[in-house]
Amino acid sequence: MLNKAMLRGLLIALFFGTVLFALIPVHVPRPSFIPGFAPPPDMWPRTVSILGLALGLLAMAFAALGGGSETSDEPERGPASAVEWRNRLIRLALALGAFAGFIVIAPLLGFLAASMLLALACFLLAGASGRWVTVLALAVVLPLGLQLFFGNVTHTPFPPGSWGIFPALN
């Protein structure tokens, strides 16, 4: 039977399978020659997609082994009210606006500053507005750490931005 956990695993597997088998071969070009030990451009998207596909299949396997009986300690919740739906839609619109803003701001300010602003917006939309010091610290440290890691380990170039305000740490 297709219960909620099985459906969730199926949707995850379908999403990452579509990305792995349909989108990456078409939209991520692979050069004919790759020098030295440099990873091909499709290595990280393939790695993430394979891991996501495996997690989706694993979720389906766990749901099937559970016998289809959902033993959840969470109380059954009723349908959301109109106010809850309105708040969810507003939050979704703000999240989409934050990502659109990232696309607009990244070429101007650079990847690092745009990532910090996007992380700050995501933390605030997730409801962490009561812990300002922690939110600001994470919004600065996480993008900085990711850029330093990928810039130094995989030598991934990040766009510095046309305004030249923030340095690219490549």
Side-chain angles (χ1 to χ4, degrees):
M1 297 305 317
L2 195 65
N3 59 16
K4 190 184 271 184
M6 179 77 79
L7 181 62
R8 186 179 309 129
L10 178 66
L11 289 175
I12 292 170
L14 280 176
F15 173 76
F16 284 106
T18 303
V19 171
L20 179 64
F21 297 116
L23 295 179
I24 291 174
V26 174
H27 296 289
V28 181
R30 189 179 185 126
S32 59
F33 175 71
I34 300 171
F37 293 104
D42 62 346
M43 185 186 90
W44 287 112
R46 281 189 191 279
T47 302
V48 170
S49 298
I50 289 170
L51 288 175
L53 180 63
L55 287 176
L57 294 175
L58 195 62
M60 288 176 63
F62 282 140
L65 292 177
S69 62
E70 293 191 23
T71 56
S72 176
D73 293 337
E74 295 180 14
E76 193 69 31
R77 294 181 6 178
S81 67
V83 174
E84 289 179 33
W85 275 108
R86 185 187 58 130
N87 290 340
R88 289 177 184 174
L89 289 175
I90 289 172
R91 188 170 285 187
L92 175 65
L94 289 173
L96 292 174
F99 281 103
F102 174 79
I103 292 172
V104 171
I105 290 174
L108 301 173
L109 291 179
F111 185 80
L112 182 60
S115 298
M116 289 176 180
L117 291 174
L118 179 64
L120 180 64
C122 288
F123 288 137
L124 292 178
L125 287 173
S129 61
R131 296 171 238 147
W132 282 99
V133 174
T134 305
V135 166
L136 285 174
L138 286 175
V140 170
V141 169
L142 287 177
L144 186 65
L146 285 174
Q147 185 164 355
L148 285 173
F149 174 78
F150 284 106
N152 292 322
V153 173
T154 64
H155 302 288
T156 304
F158 291 98
S162 62
W163 289 354
I165 297 173
F166 292 97
L169 304 173
N170 297 329

